[in-house]
Amino acid sequence: MDLKYITYQQNGQIVTITINRPKKLNALNAATITELHEAFKTANMDLEVRVIIVTGSGEKAFVAGADIKEFVRFNQIEGTQLASRGHELLFDYVENLETPVIAAVNGFALGGGLELAMAAHIRIASDNARFGLPEVSLGVIPGYGGTQRLPQLVGKGRALEMILTGGMITADKALNYGLVNDVFAQDELLDKADSLALKIIANAPSAISAAITAVNAGFDVNQNGFEVEKQAFGSCFGTADFKEGTNAFLNKRKAEF
Ligand code: CO8
């Protein structure tokens, strides 16, 4: 991969993808979105990789949003295309990966940055992190899934307050809202993300993927989550992971997935 705006680091079964435009607070320009797509795709296709962590470089920002300079002159058609392409390459793409993604939010997560964190399967944050969807202050609305995923995570009233005021909330408030699962000191954040990843890695990867599929289906109006769960549950019985997991339990040993 030829990467200019992000870094890709593999440590055993964990890949850490770091958005690396600190001078622009890691804002997502089109090239960064394309690189992120390639990186997530590569990690997801690598069978050795069991968890992906996404974070931002520097101490200030996870991602301060889509790159405003790039869409400032767009018309209606270009705006719609920008949103669609973003969903396809990054936001829906990440949410539907078989490999679990942890967002380690290390600073500002604004606009497209919060939308990226919300597309991840799990979010943890550092205590300096700030969260917001300030798009209405620019005369647009969240276009990378924010109007849908924020209410799913924090409830409609809180989501609408954040979206309509465009204000930021602290890491503690995000924890209280359930927008992040945990808050840590900034210098501990990546270690904590690794620890969380290792807990996931101890479990059956095929079951992890099936669980993501079933949970996501419940939030998709075109699917019946309970039906998808039944099918995904059944499909687990045909896997080597199921044989290993159940044999290990019956033989009182640790499963090796
Ligand atoms: N886009 C482009 N550049 C940015 C962005 C951004 N989102 N955020 C920060 N930067 C740049 C600044 O322009 C500045 O660059 P330069 O040094 O060349 O002037 C540099 O990063 C540092 O930023 P600041 O000097 O502003 O740093 P401060 O510490 O003073 O302020 C803030 C930090 C509060 C985070 C401030 O930078 C800010 O408000 N940024 C914009 C936040 C924002 O509005 N984000 C939402 C963007 S819109 C969006 O994400 C839409 C997503 C959906 C689109 C779907 C497609 C249609």
Side-chain angles (χ1 to χ4, degrees):
M1 274 182 294
D2 189 15
L3 301 177
K4 187 173 170 201
Y5 297 113
I6 67 172
T7 63
Y8 183 99
Q9 191 184 14
Q10 183 163 358
N11 184 8
Q13 295 170 304
I14 303 173
V15 159
T16 302
I17 297 171
T18 306
I19 300 145
N20 192 24
R21 296 181 78 204
K23 286 186 181 151
K24 297 292 175 192
L25 303 186
N26 303 321
L28 297 174
N29 58 3
T32 305
I33 289 180
T34 302
E35 288 188 11
L36 283 168
H37 176 78
E38 284 307 316
F40 279 111
K41 188 174 171 184
T42 301
N44 192 51
M45 280 166 52
D46 183 338
L47 293 181
E48 204 197 330
V49 177
R50 302 269 297 276
V51 173
I52 304 167
I53 296 168
V54 61
T55 193
S57 71
E59 297 190 340
K60 204 167 164 183
F62 172 68
V63 171
D67 192 318
I68 297 167
K69 272 190 194 152
E70 276 194 351
F71 62 78
V72 76
R73 291 185 206 294
F74 277 12
N75 61 29
Q76 290 178 27
I77 293 169
E78 289 167 318
T80 309
Q81 284 169 346
L82 183 70
S84 299
R85 190 148 173 76
H87 282 297
E88 190 186 319
L89 288 181
L90 189 57
F91 300 88
D92 287 352
Y93 189 77
V94 164
E95 185 171 52
N96 292 303
L97 284 183
E98 288 95 348
T99 311
V101 178
I102 300 171
V105 180
N106 58 308
F108 288 117
L110 302 175
L114 177 52
E115 289 171 304
L116 175 59
M118 291 192 295
H121 303 109
I122 298 174
R123 285 151 296 287
I124 59 173
S126 55
D127 49 16
N128 64 310
R130 295 288 177 273
F131 302 80
L133 292 176
E135 283 89 341
V136 294
S137 71
L138 300 165
V140 290
I141 66 167
Y144 285 147
T147 64
Q148 306 304 301
R149 292 191 182 101
L150 188 60
Q152 288 169 4
L153 287 164
V154 308
K156 187 176 171 187
R158 286 168 167 171
L160 275 170
E161 182 175 335
M162 286 178 69
I163 293 167
L164 302 188
T165 64
M168 291 186 214
I169 61 168
T170 61
D172 279 347
K173 197 159 192 178
L175 181 63
N176 177 260
Y177 276 13
L179 182 53
V180 299
N181 294 4
D182 257 311
V183 175
F184 303 104
Q186 192 170 44
D187 59 358
E188 290 182 350
L189 181 66
L190 289 180
D191 285 345
K192 296 292 185 183
D194 279 345
S195 306
L196 181 56
L198 291 173
K199 285 185 192 166
I200 296 171
I201 288 168
N203 299 311
S206 55
I208 297 283
S209 304
I212 291 172
T213 302
V215 171
N216 281 349
F219 291 92
D220 180 346
V221 288
N222 297 313
Q223 298 190 67
N224 178 327
F226 287 99
E227 283 307 319
V228 172
E229 184 191 79
K230 279 184 220 160
Q231 296 304 322
F233 177 74
S235 73
C236 293
F237 287 77
T239 65
D241 283 347
F242 172 68
K243 285 195 184 72
E244 170 60 11
T246 47
N247 274 330
F249 178 80
L250 294 175
N251 291 303
K252 300 193 184 307
R253 65 173 173 82
K254 198 172 169 298
E256 297 282 338
F257 294 114

